[in-house]
Amino acid sequence: MSVLVYTESENGKFKKSAFEVASYAKAVADQLGSSVTAISFNTENNDELGAYGVSKVLNVTDDKLATFNALAYANSIEQAAKSESTQVIIVSSSTNSKFLAPILAAKLKAGYVPNVVAAPESTSPFTVKRTAFSNKGFAHTEITTETKIIGVSNNAFGVKENQTTAAVETFNAELNDTDFAVKSIEIDKVAGQVSIADADIVVSGGRGLKGPENWGMIEHLAEVLGAATACSKPVSDMGWRPHGEHVGQTGKPVASNLYIAIGISGAIQHLAGVSASKTKVVINSDPEAPFFKAADYGIVGDAFEVVPKLIEKLKEFKAQNA
Amino acid sequence: MKILVCISNVPDTTSKINFTDGDTKFDTNGVQFVINPNDEFGLTRAMWFKEKQGATVHIATVGEASVEPTMRKALAIGADEAIRVNAAPTDGFFVAEQLANIIKDGAYDLVVAGRESIDYNGGMVPGILATLLGMNFVNSCISLEVEGATATAIREIDGGKETVQTSLPLVIGGQKGLVQESDLKIPNMRGIMMARKKTLNVVEPIDATVATKDAKFDKPVAKGAVKLVNSADELVDLLHNEAKVI
């Protein structure tokens, strides 16, 4: 009756979030007096998970599952959950996990709680703390079903080492053609670019940048920091940047360690989307911009002067601390 | 093509959030309710199918009578008929089972729901619904085309997008991108007048699963005052030595 964790990967390698959800699963297993079993798809170094408290890995090796497929993955996890008699399943808050978790919930008749920010507050009743109202509030949610699915918010719990030895087993679920009724035709992803969901640092630009032609310095700053780039709603609405970069209540939520907002005044919807970020820096020429009330650090100044200087200083800092 | 758009009645995005009854309930006092933005993108795309491909568009909401103004707005935008399941939407599982019960009898080819509602952010209704009904499902949908019984959708993935193909009947979890923000319709007077005459069916709920219960709410702890700095040098120093984020 272990805790089952779905560890996401890309091109055979675990994503950082896999180690975070494994760490979370270990904390839950400790509370329940149980152990952690991971399910991974076509991954190579499965024993890596042992460092985060996973004692058993069910490794699915199936070429048909080389590309994420929500229904086929959910069916595989369902079968793993049954074979392990699992009552608690842990997933991440990635777009893919949020795609498969509700399917899994319906199949297992399990209560699913996404956006969970801390280890369970109690296991009887089973209560977790999650964000709600687009990060404007928290809910303490009880899961009342026997099987429970928890979606851990990115960067909320952190990666915690907990050395054990992971026994790796091959696991192959029975899948039918109907599980592949939604077929992937094309994946369009810029190689090497950090995605907002995975990023430790996000550099975001707003209307204050005056036009898409000025985004070079945002990208340059992001490159120096190893950060993802993002933008405010008006910027994506005007087509200066792609929709996928829009951060806010109706766009993407950001839960990075550092969020740098440049030329963004800080509408309530934008602040909701970034409030889960740990440290917020705002650069804006308007000292009355609402974002200053929500930020940790601020510079009142013209972005076109401040950002190049910041890039220069960060380069010096990196050279000294390399 | 017969389309059902699932509409959630949510606080306007500018709403300040407060709780009442010992922090166990959302305080609706002074809050303006609107169509959930993710649903509104889907509704507008459904109107496109109505105009270009002759689709019929129904809407459905699980909620008490107080949600009817939001439903009338969706009818004023152009939906043909509405169904209200007369129950307070307690959790995502419950809502999905209520909607599934309507859909199984309605012979819908396409069910459009928002990726998540912007209030409780459960994000589970479209996926549970699709699974209960055995319909194909695409989440985080940012584009949808239907030709005959074949649907081609683009969904957002972390750091990019994926084009997928599947067949009807289909459930999608939609979001911004399904239509442009500028394509969202504001109901005009004619639409509002016509909406008054459109059918709004009220059906009683079925017994359904309640899988989760929000026992209590709270708000993030207020932040201390911002630390204003004058130079990039100082900022880099604080980010390294104080915040320890670089």
Side-chain angles (χ1 to χ4, degrees):
Chain A
M1 222 183 58
S2 54
V3 172
L4 183 69
V5 57
Y6 162 48
T7 47
E8 285 179 70
S9 57
E10 200 162 46
N11 302 321
K13 305 217 166 2
F14 288 110
K15 292 171 88 169
K16 193 189 95 185
S17 67
F19 302 134
E20 186 173 18
V21 288
S23 306
Y24 187 95
K26 173 66 177 160
V28 177
D30 286 348
Q31 281 181 305
L32 295 170
S34 134
S35 60
V36 181
T37 299
I39 177 164
S40 59
F41 291 81
N42 298 317
T43 42
E44 291 152 13
N45 297 319
N46 292 293
D47 42 3
E48 276 181 358
L49 294 173
Y52 306 97
V54 174
S55 52
K56 182 167 156 190
V57 182
L58 302 175
N59 185 229
V60 180
T61 47
D62 185 342
D63 288 344
K64 290 208 297 291
L65 301 174
T67 307
F68 173 82
N69 180 301
L71 183 55
Y73 274 45
N75 276 344
S76 305
I77 299 170
E78 180 201 7
Q79 290 174 40
K82 286 186 173 155
S83 80
E84 295 291 307
S85 310
T86 299
Q87 286 185 350
V88 182
I89 302 170
I90 314 291
V91 300
S92 82
S93 283
S94 71
T95 312
N96 285 351
S97 279
K98 285 187 169 176
F99 190 174
L100 73 77
I103 300 174
L104 191 58
K107 286 176 176 293
L108 294 169
K109 245 194 173 192
Y112 163 51
V113 181
N115 311 316
V116 170
V117 293
E121 292 172 344
S122 84
T123 53
S124 181
F126 202 98
T127 309
V128 285
K129 182 180 179 182
R130 68 181 180 103
T131 59
F133 297 95
S134 309
N135 294 327
K136 291 177 192 168
F138 294 107
H140 301 265
T141 305
E142 280 178 35
I143 309 179
T144 51
T145 46
E146 192 171 308
T147 307
K148 299 151 181 80
I149 305 175
I150 297 174
V152 182
S153 208
N154 289 351
N155 290 324
F157 188 76
V159 173
K160 294 185 173 51
E161 291 205 13
N162 219 315
Q163 194 63 50
T164 182
T165 306
V168 182
E169 290 175 13
T170 299
F171 181 83
N172 282 320
E174 281 179 33
L175 300 172
N176 303 315
D177 287 350
T178 51
D179 295 327
F180 297 91
V182 176
K183 290 185 178 61
S184 180
I185 306 293
E186 189 188 3
I187 290 178
D188 181 4
K189 201 168 169 177
V190 182
Q193 201 175 54
V194 190
S195 78
I196 295 172
D198 298 328
D200 281 330
I201 304 177
V202 174
V203 177
S204 190
R207 236 182 327 198
L209 287 160
K210 298 188 168 71
E213 67 281 5
N214 296 323
W215 239 260
M217 67 180 188
I218 299 288
E219 283 165 344
H220 194 179
L221 178 59
E223 190 192 318
V224 174
L225 287 165
T229 55
C231 69
S232 64
K233 182 170 180 288
V235 164
S236 79
D237 286 349
M238 287 184 289
W240 295 0
R241 300 295 292 176
H243 286 310
E245 287 197 2
H246 162 203
V247 157
Q249 202 166 357
T250 54
K252 280 208 160 54
V254 173
S256 56
N257 286 324
L258 173 60
Y259 182 77
I260 305 180
I262 300 164
I264 299 176
S265 61
I268 186 168
Q269 298 95 331
H270 188 85
L271 296 180
V274 303
S275 72
S277 289
K278 293 194 178 73
T279 301
K280 296 185 261 302
V281 173
V282 58
I283 299 169
N284 202 304
S285 56
D286 175 10
E288 301 300 320
F291 215 141
F292 282 110
K293 289 201 176 73
D296 299 278
Y297 303 106
I299 295 184
V300 179
D302 183 351
F304 296 99
E305 288 171 21
V306 177
V307 175
K309 279 187 197 149
L310 185 58
I311 292 170
E312 196 185 310
K313 290 295 165 197
L314 282 166
K315 279 185 175 167
E316 283 173 23
F317 168 80
K318 283 187 82 174
Q320 284 163 10
N321 292 275
Chain B
M1 183 162 55
K2 197 172 166 192
I3 304 175
L4 182 76
V5 183
C6 307
I7 301 279
S8 189
N9 177 59
V10 299
D12 170 34
T13 58
T14 59
S15 302
K16 294 222 160 72
I17 301 302
N18 289 302
F19 303 105
T20 178
D21 289 10
D23 288 337
T24 58
K25 285 197 178 71
F26 173 64
D27 183 1
T28 56
N29 205 6
V31 172
Q32 173 87 26
F33 280 83
V34 296
I35 301 172
N36 179 41
N38 290 314
D39 303 344
E40 196 177 355
F41 289 112
L43 175 65
T44 309
R45 188 63 191 164
M47 296 327 301
W48 185 92
F49 285 118
K50 180 178 168 174
E51 283 157 25
K52 307 284 182 196
Q53 298 184 358
T56 306
V57 179
H58 291 178
I59 61 155
T61 300
V62 178
E64 291 167 325
S66 59
V67 306
E68 289 193 359
T70 301
M71 299 180 77
R72 290 282 174 204
K73 186 182 169 198
L75 290 170
I77 286 170
D80 301 300
E81 268 185 41
I83 306 161
R84 178 169 71 80
V85 179
N86 187 27
T90 44
D91 84 327
F93 220 115
F94 176 86
V95 170
E97 286 189 0
Q98 299 301 339
L99 292 171
N101 184 48
I102 295 173
I103 294 161
K104 73 176 168 43
D105 299 328
Y108 293 101
D109 305 293
L110 176 65
V111 176
V112 178
R115 174 195 69 186
E116 66 176 5
S117 66
I118 61 161
D119 49 4
Y120 295 96
N121 305 117
M124 66 190 85
V125 170
I128 294 178
L129 193 54
T131 310
L132 292 174
L133 293 162
M135 286 166 79
N136 294 326
F137 172 49
V138 180
N139 207 3
S140 303
C141 216
I142 53 172
S143 163
L144 179 67
E145 304 285 345
V146 177
E147 283 292 328
T150 304
T152 306
I154 301 178
R155 72 174 189 102
E156 196 171 278
I157 56 174
D158 292 336
K161 52 194 182 181
E162 180 185 28
T163 307
V164 296
Q165 206 160 62
T166 189
S167 55
L168 302 182
L170 170 69
V171 178
I172 65 156
Q175 63 179 62
K176 184 179 174 185
L178 264 182
V179 295
Q180 295 301 314
E181 184 95 9
S182 54
D183 292 336
L184 293 177
K185 291 178 198 262
I186 297 164
N188 56 25
M189 192 46 77
R190 187 164 171 268
I192 294 166
M193 297 306 285
M194 282 171 67
R196 288 186 186 167
K197 294 182 193 148
K198 288 180 180 172
T199 311
L200 199 160
N201 296 300
V202 179
V203 300
E204 291 307 314
I206 53 164
D207 280 341
T209 310
V210 174
T212 59
K213 195 167 81 183
D214 290 325
K216 204 169 175 359
F217 297 99
D218 49 42
K219 292 205 282 185
V221 179
K223 285 191 82 73
V226 62
K227 198 176 266 189
L228 288 177
V229 297
N230 294 314
S231 71
D233 238 350
E234 202 183 335
L235 180 62
V236 172
D237 179 60
L238 286 167
L239 292 179
H240 180 61
N241 292 313
E242 190 177 87
K244 300 190 192 308
V245 286
I246 59 169

